[in-house]
Amino acid sequence: MAAGSAIQIPTRLPLLLTHESVLLPGSTMRTSVDSPRNMQLVRSRLLKGTSLRSTIIGVIPNTSDPTSDCDDLPNLHRIGTAALAVQVVGSNWPKPHYTLLVTGLCRFQILQLLKEKPYPVAEVQQLDRLEQFTNGHKSEEELGELSEQFYKYAVQLVEMLDMSVPAVAKLRRLLDNLPREALPDILTSIIRTTNQEKLQILDAVRLEERFKMTIPLLVRQIEGLKLLQKTRKSKQDEDKRVVAIRPNRRITHGSITEDEEEEEDHDDIVMLERKIRTSSMSEQALKVCLKEIKRLKKMPQSMPEYALTRNYLELMVELPWNKSTKDRLEIRAARIVLDNDHYAMEKLKKRVLEYLAVRQLKNNLKGPILCFVGPPGVGKTSVGRSIAKTLGREFHRIALGGVCDQSDIRGHRRTYVGSMPGRIINGLKTVGVNNPVFLLDEVDKLAKSLQGDPAAALLEVLDPEQNHSFTDHYLNVAFDLSQVLFIATANTTATIPPALLDRMEVIQVPGYTQEEKIEIAHRHLIPKQLELHGLTPQQIQIPQVTTLGIITRYTREAGVRALDRKLGAICRAVAVKVAEGQHKEAKPDRAEVGEGEDCKEHITEDAKPESISDTADLALPPEMPILIDFHALKDILGPPLYDMEVSERLSQPGVAIGLAWTPLGGEIMFVEASRMDGEGQLTLTGQLGDVMKESAHLAISWLRSNAKRYQLTNASGSFDLLDNTDIHLHFPAGAVTKDGPSAGVTIVTCLASLFSGRLVCSDVAMTGEITLRGLVLPVGGIKDKVLAAHRAGLKRIIIPQRNEKDLEEIAAHVRQELTFVLAACLDEVLNAAFDGGFAGRARLEHFNSKL
Ligand code: ADP
């Protein structure tokens, strides 16, 4: 640095003309040089010079160098800065130029221009006495004060900067070490100033004047900095506050609404915490919840986990940890409720009452889970609902049909996106008490999949030894299910996983007879439908014979669901009529009544209300009550869906009626056989299972071996029935898979009819497994099968002898209408199936039902 080194600048200085920037003594500047004169100066003086003096040039500010060296030199600024060229860098891109790094030494004044070309050279006078700086100017009072003031400002300014930056620390040190006189120039070049201001400082040759001019610049800079720091600080504070409450929060609203929202959220969390603390959850659950709420408080709301945790905590609070309804168990009342709600089902009601009686005697029964098994629509669900009613408990139905994922039962772990608790916990949340009646509907329709076996998850739920600490994956804490009363329903036990079946007590709920259905319809279904449709018994009348018509011609089911639907359809149609009638004038004329009759709405004599008589005061339209007879039935429900087709279908040899059992109840099944020329092949159609196919082979083998005895021949008269003959057996309802051994006797009868050419009696149905030796073995589902035959209007039923005991379950009036043949061997079956018996040695036994 020039200061203190007592440099004397040469009196003749080559001049570098600059326009853009102002170099002040004590500062350094990089400048680009490309005009011809300046380039020349660099080339001939700086690059060629060898001494230190040759690197000293005069930098003239505010004077643009002419672009061509033929142009005249412009007016030069009077005062310039003598500078030391520290570095010269040349480049040819984009055009030849040099970049000079120059350090200002001191001011000078041009006395006389000595030459203009190739670069200007002038005789100069040094203005700042460089050596004088070191001695100081302390003598002058005013200057002293000014410089002191300047120094303070300078210190204040520098201290406002970040002292951790090395350059700032160095500057702070320089402030103390440098002579005060050098400070105005140095600080002016550091602080933010315009070129114009710098030029003024350069022109301020007198030191006092220079101090005076630079102080306002310093003050301005200090104020600017203060302002900047203030806004920065307030922003930082705000940022800090936001971070403290909820970092990363998106600012979408105005600050006021955002604050409000924050407050609200905060309040919510506080509320939630209070709820958790006051809830009666288990100790383990409380611990988990408090931990989670602690996490929640620290979590930004935008985090996906925030909502997840919050939902979890809300569920935990909502769960009925300790809330239960009080059981009001009184067996007599329970019996009345069950009887009132359901007709028939004696066996089921008896067992349910036993179950409830034991519960009454012994609180906290860890008894078996009841499982009602029976065809659809026989009232399994509604008995479950009645049980809840008798106990005064909440009822919740959990449909398990098609559930194939164990997390449906046990919930998803909370790490999953969209995880939820399982159906059991959800059900508890819905009912809000911990001792509801849960009806696990359709446990036989649970499916397995890759996501695990839901039946296995149910095992834990249903096991009284385990379910006091059932752990749902979502909750991840144990919940006591021991107070919940589980009842299961199924259509068949065949598809219930054995381990699950083992935990349950199966109660069979068989289908209903026609008579039972009629009673159910008139006692329960019709009143319920009337109420549903806003009708009264004065407006509609459905005689029992119509109900029977609906049961036989429009439904074919073991339960009463379709019947209920049809009754609903009738009520809807009547509701339209009634509503139309209400719009009519209160006093319609007689012609309308006549029309009404034509429209198949008849009024029976006894049902005719007073209002239809001559009384003028009519409360109801005259055609009330609307009587539903067969015409009306056809009008509303359309043509009958099922006809009594049995006798028609048995008009050819080779057809016999079998009885089948399906989860939907019993069915009658027409087995058909035909023969044709061929190579002795047996064709079976109708989607048969392996067992049924084997029955067909057994039947043929038995017939072939007994062909002579029964005089059965093929088309060419041979006793070898398959000689040049193919047989085709078909089981209708081809779309439904059938299996089981009970069709054995039917196949034999059907083939015997085919080969003998005789017709099977049209009112006989049969069921029974056969053996190769011609014995008839017992089969299952007798009650359902008998009811199906009864529904279809058949009169005689051939069943295996060893199934005799099953007949006791059948209602007496049904037994009275049927004749049962108990067969021990196939001889007996054939004898009973054909009018006048079947040739061959046989023992025929008619069983007239007197059980
Ligand atoms: P499931 O569960 O066996 O499939 P539901 O319990 O849903 O059958 O019964 C269907 C309808 O039939 C219900 O409206 C029910 O009230 C009625 N129902 C069935 N059986 C009876 C009965 N024995 N007495 C009265 N109503 C019955």
Side-chain angles (χ1 to χ4, degrees):
M1 179 100 204
S5 58
I7 282 182
Q8 272 290 320
I9 60 165
T11 47
R12 290 164 60 105
L13 276 183
L15 301 181
L16 184 82
L17 309 186
T18 64
H19 186 62
E20 300 284 291
S21 43
V22 181
L23 177 72
L24 288 172
S27 65
T28 302
M29 175 180 92
R30 199 175 288 275
T31 179
S32 179
V33 170
D34 57 1
S35 62
R37 277 182 238 255
N38 282 347
M39 295 270 283
Q40 204 57 45
L41 179 144
V42 173
R43 260 186 235 126
S44 340
R45 176 77 186 234
L46 296 182
L47 296 180
K48 290 212 175 116
T50 47
S51 65
L52 181 64
R53 289 180 77 90
S54 65
T55 61
I56 296 178
I57 55 172
V59 179
I60 302 294
N62 200 22
T63 311
S64 57
D65 192 23
T67 44
S68 142
D69 50 1
C70 349
D71 290 341
D72 282 345
L73 206 62
N75 276 340
L76 302 177
H77 192 78
R78 203 175 51 85
I79 294 180
T81 310
L84 200 63
V86 182
Q87 190 186 48
V88 180
V89 180
S91 168
N92 275 330
W93 183 262
K95 58 178 186 175
H97 73 275
Y98 294 102
T99 304
L100 284 186
L101 185 69
V102 285
T103 298
L105 296 174
C106 61
R107 286 178 181 72
F108 68 85
Q109 180 186 2
I110 300 173
L111 296 178
Q112 186 187 359
L113 196 63
L114 297 177
K115 64 170 186 170
E116 288 184 18
K117 285 183 183 176
Y119 51 87
V121 178
E123 187 187 343
V124 297
Q125 180 195 1
Q126 184 170 347
L127 295 178
D128 299 323
R129 306 264 160 238
L130 293 178
E131 67 273 44
Q132 168 192 324
F133 287 166
T134 46
N135 304 332
H137 255 293
K138 298 266 160 65
S139 52
E140 280 187 43
E141 276 279 304
E142 199 189 350
L143 193 61
E145 246 173 58
L146 271 176
S147 76
E148 192 59 29
Q149 198 182 358
F150 182 88
Y151 171 75
K152 273 185 190 154
Y153 280 127
V155 170
Q156 186 186 351
L157 175 69
V158 173
E159 282 180 352
M160 282 172 85
L161 303 176
D162 187 354
M163 293 298 265
S164 64
V165 178
V168 177
K170 193 173 168 194
L171 182 64
R172 178 67 190 85
R173 282 198 301 278
L174 279 180
L175 285 185
D176 290 338
N177 298 336
L178 280 178
R180 299 271 159 91
E181 297 81 351
L183 292 182
D185 284 337
I186 293 173
L187 280 161
T188 306
S189 61
I190 291 173
I191 64 176
R192 193 178 288 246
T193 46
T194 61
N195 272 347
Q196 200 53 43
E197 283 163 345
K198 278 189 189 137
L199 202 61
Q200 282 171 6
I201 302 297
L202 181 71
D203 291 347
V205 179
R206 278 182 52 225
L207 202 55
E208 183 191 338
E209 189 186 355
R210 214 180 298 159
F211 274 124
K212 276 184 182 163
M213 283 173 85
T214 42
I215 285 175
L217 296 181
L218 266 188
V219 171
R220 188 182 70 190
Q221 184 73 34
I222 289 169
E223 290 305 315
L225 263 181
K226 270 187 189 163
L227 210 65
L228 193 73
Q229 286 183 349
K230 205 164 146 194
T231 49
R232 246 190 226 156
K233 192 156 177 282
S234 64
K235 190 159 183 310
Q236 264 175 5
D237 280 358
E238 195 169 295
D239 284 354
K240 262 189 216 155
R241 200 159 56 97
V242 171
V243 167
I245 293 167
R246 192 168 299 128
N248 299 342
R249 186 180 167 109
R250 262 185 307 136
I251 298 174
T252 47
H253 311 284
S255 61
I256 296 171
T257 45
E258 190 178 292
D259 284 354
E260 277 172 6
E261 266 182 25
E262 273 169 11
E263 295 261 295
E264 257 174 41
D265 287 342
H266 191 66
D267 284 354
D268 277 0
I269 291 178
V270 171
M271 285 262 279
L272 196 60
E273 186 172 356
R274 203 173 304 148
K275 276 192 208 161
I276 289 171
R277 286 185 192 279
T278 53
S279 84
S280 49
M281 60 177 77
S282 66
E283 221 169 274
Q284 187 198 8
L286 185 69
K287 225 160 103 189
V288 172
C289 281
L290 291 178
K291 207 170 114 199
E292 291 291 321
I293 200 123
K294 220 162 145 192
R295 281 183 60 220
L296 192 71
K297 280 181 189 166
K298 288 184 198 148
M299 226 181 265
Q301 202 184 21
S302 52
M303 238 169 114
E305 219 190 320
Y306 181 86
L308 209 74
T309 312
R310 205 176 155 148
N311 285 349
Y312 171 76
L313 289 173
E314 272 164 11
L315 173 76
M316 292 291 269
V317 171
E318 266 179 66
L319 279 182
W321 295 92
N322 231 343
K323 214 168 125 202
S324 56
T325 49
K326 201 163 158 16
D327 275 4
R328 49 173 158 75
L329 198 95
E330 223 253 283
I331 285 299
R332 241 171 294 156
R335 190 191 297 272
I336 293 170
V337 170
L338 280 179
D339 279 341
N340 282 351
D341 286 358
H342 297 94
Y343 179 78
M345 335 176 90
E346 299 308 332
K347 198 172 144 192
L348 174 70
K349 284 195 239 173
K350 191 167 148 243
R351 180 65 188 94
V352 168
L353 283 175
E354 282 169 15
Y355 185 81
L356 295 178
V358 180
R359 272 196 97 90
Q360 188 181 340
L361 296 180
K362 187 173 177 288
N363 250 348
N364 233 342
L365 175 70
K366 284 191 179 170
I369 312 290
L370 294 181
C371 177
F372 303 148
V373 178
V378 292
K380 302 182 295 293
T381 313
S382 88
V383 168
R385 198 168 272 129
S386 289
I387 293 176
K389 201 160 105 188
T390 58
L391 290 172
R393 289 189 174 201
E394 295 290 331
F395 177 81
H396 185 72
R397 177 174 162 268
I398 299 176
L400 295 176
V403 167
C404 61
D405 185 347
Q406 68 143 335
S407 36
D408 251 331
I409 308 288
R410 221 196 284 247
H412 293 272
R413 292 204 183 279
R414 268 193 300 140
T415 41
Y416 279 98
V417 178
S419 57
M420 319 180 272
R423 291 185 189 211
I424 305 285
I425 292 297
N426 243 339
L428 284 167
K429 184 185 138 198
T430 312
V431 295
V433 285
N434 67 1
N435 65 341
V437 172
F438 269 174
L439 187 92
L440 304 172
D441 222 357
E442 325 252 29
V443 274
D444 56 330
K445 301 202 177 50
L446 285 172
K448 262 189 206 172
S449 73
L450 287 179
Q451 276 78 36
D453 184 0
L458 263 190
L459 283 182
E460 191 193 337
V461 174
L462 297 183
D463 191 339
E465 302 299 329
Q466 291 181 33
N467 69 7
H468 59 271
S469 61
F470 168 72
T471 306
D472 184 283
H473 285 160
Y474 182 82
L475 291 197
N476 215 11
V477 286
F479 193 95
D480 183 3
L481 294 181
S482 59
Q483 298 302 312
V484 181
L485 175 63
F486 288 102
I487 297 174
T489 78
N491 290 143
T492 170
T493 50
T495 48
I496 303 179
L500 200 56
L501 195 58
D502 192 43
R503 298 237 181 341
M504 303 191 287
E505 178 180 333
V506 172
I507 303 177
Q508 293 284 351
V509 193
Y512 296 116
T513 61
Q514 282 173 0
E515 287 70 22
E516 282 170 344
K517 284 187 188 176
I518 293 175
E519 285 302 322
I520 292 171
H522 283 269
R523 286 172 194 231
H524 299 284
L525 305 184
I526 296 178
K528 199 175 73 189
Q529 288 293 349
L530 291 189
E531 199 189 322
L532 268 179
H533 292 86
L535 294 169
T536 62
Q538 283 77 42
Q539 291 167 320
I540 174 173
Q541 203 190 18
I542 305 177
Q544 293 213 342
V545 31
T546 308
T547 317
L548 183 65
I550 304 172
I551 293 167
T552 52
R553 289 160 169 241
Y554 290 92
T555 66
R556 186 159 281 180
E557 56 169 357
V560 291
R561 197 167 282 147
L563 175 63
D564 198 26
R565 268 202 303 274
K566 299 286 172 198
L567 289 170
I570 291 169
C571 287
R572 277 198 300 279
V574 171
V576 174
K577 290 274 173 210
V578 171
E580 275 176 358
Q582 278 173 356
H583 284 293
K584 287 181 195 165
E585 283 303 308
K587 211 171 125 191
D589 56 30
R590 288 196 167 264
E592 265 186 301
V593 178
E595 252 176 51
E597 277 171 0
D598 281 350
C599 300
K600 298 162 192 137
E601 277 148 15
H602 300 265
I603 299 139
T604 49
E605 281 304 307
D606 55 339
K608 198 182 279 181
E610 293 255 313
S611 52
I612 298 183
S613 67
D614 288 336
T615 325
D617 187 17
L618 293 177
L620 296 165
E623 58 267 35
M624 298 295 157
I626 294 172
L627 181 94
I628 308 296
D629 62 1
F630 281 111
H631 292 291
L633 212 54
K634 210 168 157 194
D635 204 32
I636 297 168
L637 300 179
L641 299 176
Y642 305 100
D643 273 326
M644 290 299 168
E645 40 168 10
V646 175
S647 51
E648 284 163 35
R649 295 192 64 169
L650 288 176
S651 57
Q652 280 183 4
V655 186
I657 305 171
L659 293 173
W661 182 88
T662 72
L664 309 184
E667 294 258 7
I668 65 164
M669 180 173 64
F670 293 88
V671 181
E672 298 172 343
S674 68
R675 61 179 172 182
M676 58 225 83
D677 289 347
E679 284 149 19
Q681 275 186 356
L682 174 66
T683 310
L684 297 166
T685 50
Q687 284 217 52
L688 309 184
D690 287 344
V691 180
M692 211 148 170
K693 284 180 190 159
E694 285 172 5
S695 291
H697 285 287
L698 269 177
I700 292 202
S701 299
W702 184 81
L703 278 174
R704 283 174 76 187
S705 60
N706 289 281
K708 257 196 198 136
R709 212 171 106 210
Y710 290 108
Q711 297 297 308
L712 301 176
T713 54
N714 65 5
S716 51
S718 161
F719 287 124
D720 186 357
L721 300 178
L722 288 180
D723 188 25
N724 292 327
T725 309
D726 278 355
I727 298 174
H728 187 155
L729 267 173
H730 177 65
F731 295 76
V736 185
T737 312
K738 305 162 204 73
D739 202 7
S742 69
V745 292
T746 323
I747 302 171
V748 170
T749 311
C750 167
L751 290 173
S753 159
L754 179 72
F755 287 110
S756 66
R758 293 177 61 188
L759 293 180
V760 178
C761 292
S762 62
D763 61 349
V764 171
M766 60 200 79
T767 183
E769 181 177 350
I770 56 168
T771 69
L772 207 48
R773 288 173 45 231
L775 297 179
V776 177
L777 299 183
V779 291
I782 291 292
K783 183 175 179 190
D784 282 319
K785 289 174 177 176
V786 169
L787 291 180
H790 184 246
R791 275 203 294 277
L794 298 166
K795 293 285 172 269
R796 268 190 309 151
I797 301 175
I798 304 171
I799 60 168
Q801 195 172 37
R802 280 159 62 187
N803 277 120
E804 186 179 352
K805 60 179 185 332
D806 296 315
L807 296 177
E808 283 175 33
E809 281 183 22
I810 297 164
H813 63 92
V814 177
R815 278 184 280 161
Q816 273 161 15
E817 287 176 27
L818 297 170
T819 307
F820 294 96
V821 178
L822 299 171
C825 62
L826 281 171
D827 287 334
E828 292 169 3
V829 172
L830 293 177
N831 264 322
F834 292 89
D835 253 346
F838 208 66
R841 176 182 52 82
R843 179 174 64 90
L844 179 71
E845 185 182 329
H846 279 272
F847 181 83
N848 282 320
S849 167
K850 291 194 183 67
L851 288 167

